Amino acid sequence: MNTTQQILFDEPGPRARRRIRIATVLGALAVLGGLAWAVHRFASYGELAADRWQPFTTWPIWRYLLDGLWATLRAAAATAVLSAALGLLLALGRLSAHRPVRWLAGAYVEVFRTVPALLLIYVTLFALPQYGLNFPLFWKLVVPLVVSNSAAFAEIFRAGIKALDRGQTEAGLAVGLRRGQVMRLVVLPQALLQLAPSLVSQLVGLLKDTSLGFVVSYTELLYSGQVLSSYTNLLIQTFLVVALIYLVVNASLSKFARVLQARNGRLTGRRKSAEPDPAASLLVQGGTAR
């Protein structure tokens, strides 16, 4: 156990470990019991019959669902890129030395962190067209998601930048770099490396937000499932398959986040044991150049 963990909590004793094991077993039994009950109920109503699952062994059905998945991934990718770019600008704005810039960026973040994405979609769908802003279907989903998620990205970026050792900035200023150059060349590369797992985790939530596309009739995965279930009259089977697809995609992103976190942990450990402090290196380089 590392030092931080020892400060935060004591290692469980034998009785506490026994209680944890009992609670874990009881929780697992409860989950398995719930699943068994659900399977029994589905079977009693004939939902597990082979003929009700047979359509999902055909390529046209899967092609339709995969088209919906592709639409979901396109919307998520566009939202992620634009949200990250706007979020980074907002984070830099909140850290700006100019008070009006800090106030405007902070007001944007605080407002749109609290406004539900669904409400923003309704504004884009019903309110903005009255003022001549009638976006294409794809952007009626992406624009409100960008507005909502950029506030979350801004807080992630700001937290990562503020968590970086202040000596990095001071070292850059000491060798004659301007504040903008220090942020671009010294601070951001290190902060983004540390934030990679958090950013990937944010993508999981963003991907799930694209399911709100059914409000604007954008044919993402969930909307495709709704259309397919009304066509085949296989409501439970269709949404179980759709849920499985979401599970596979989001589990893959979560696994990627854990891999990045473990990799960053190993790199940080090696850097601390084998390399000099980056700020000190920058100062040495500056002194040599002079």
Side-chain angles (χ1 to χ4, degrees), residues 57-264:
T57 64
T58 61
W59 171 242
I61 295 291
W62 277 102
R63 183 176 61 186
Y64 183 73
L65 290 176
L66 291 176
D67 286 342
L69 175 61
W70 173 240
T72 291
L73 294 177
R74 285 194 297 114
T79 303
V81 171
L82 296 175
S83 297
L86 180 56
L88 182 57
L89 291 177
L90 290 169
L92 295 177
R94 296 201 72 178
L95 298 171
S96 172
H98 304 286
R99 182 176 297 177
V101 176
R102 288 201 310 271
W103 187 89
L104 289 173
Y108 179 100
V109 171
E110 295 303 325
V111 168
F112 290 110
R113 282 176 63 197
T114 58
V115 176
L118 182 59
L119 179 58
L120 295 176
I121 291 177
Y122 280 133
V123 170
T124 306
L125 185 61
F126 298 115
L128 293 185
Q130 298 180 12
Y131 298 95
L133 294 174
N134 194 6
F135 299 117
L137 193 61
F138 178 80
W139 294 104
K140 284 181 179 178
L141 174 63
V142 171
V143 168
L145 291 184
V146 168
V147 172
S148 178
N149 282 275
S150 60
F153 274 104
E155 287 301 278
I156 293 175
F157 285 128
R158 187 171 75 99
I161 292 172
K162 290 181 70 68
L164 199 64
D165 184 60
R166 187 176 178 83
Q168 308 291 330
T169 301
E170 294 173 350
L173 294 174
V175 298
L177 295 178
R178 296 189 298 273
R179 287 193 174 273
Q181 291 176 315
V182 172
M183 182 63 68
R184 188 176 71 254
L185 301 175
V186 179
V187 175
L188 282 181
Q190 298 180 69
L192 292 178
L193 180 64
Q194 298 299 323
L195 288 174
S198 299
L199 294 175
V200 175
S201 298
Q202 178 65 25
L203 292 179
V204 175
L206 186 154
L207 184 68
K208 291 186 290 186
D209 285 346
T210 60
S211 62
L212 296 173
F214 76 92
V215 177
V216 298
S217 299
Y218 177 68
T219 54
E220 42 76 43
L221 180 57
L222 184 60
Y223 185 77
S224 298
Q226 290 177 325
V227 173
L228 183 61
S229 65
S230 64
Y231 176 74
T232 60
N233 294 320
L234 299 173
L235 179 67
I236 293 176
Q237 290 78 8
T238 300
F239 282 104
L240 283 176
V241 171
V242 169
L244 179 62
I245 295 174
Y246 272 116
L247 179 63
V248 170
V249 175
N250 287 330
S252 300
L253 286 174
S254 299
K255 175 64 176 178
F256 182 51
R258 289 193 296 271
V259 170
L260 283 178
Q261 188 172 13
R263 179 176 178 273
N264 287 346

Side-chain angles (χ1 to χ4, degrees), residues 31-44:
V31 171
L32 292 176
L35 290 175
W37 178 83
V39 170
H40 172 71
R41 297 294 292 175
F42 284 153
S44 64

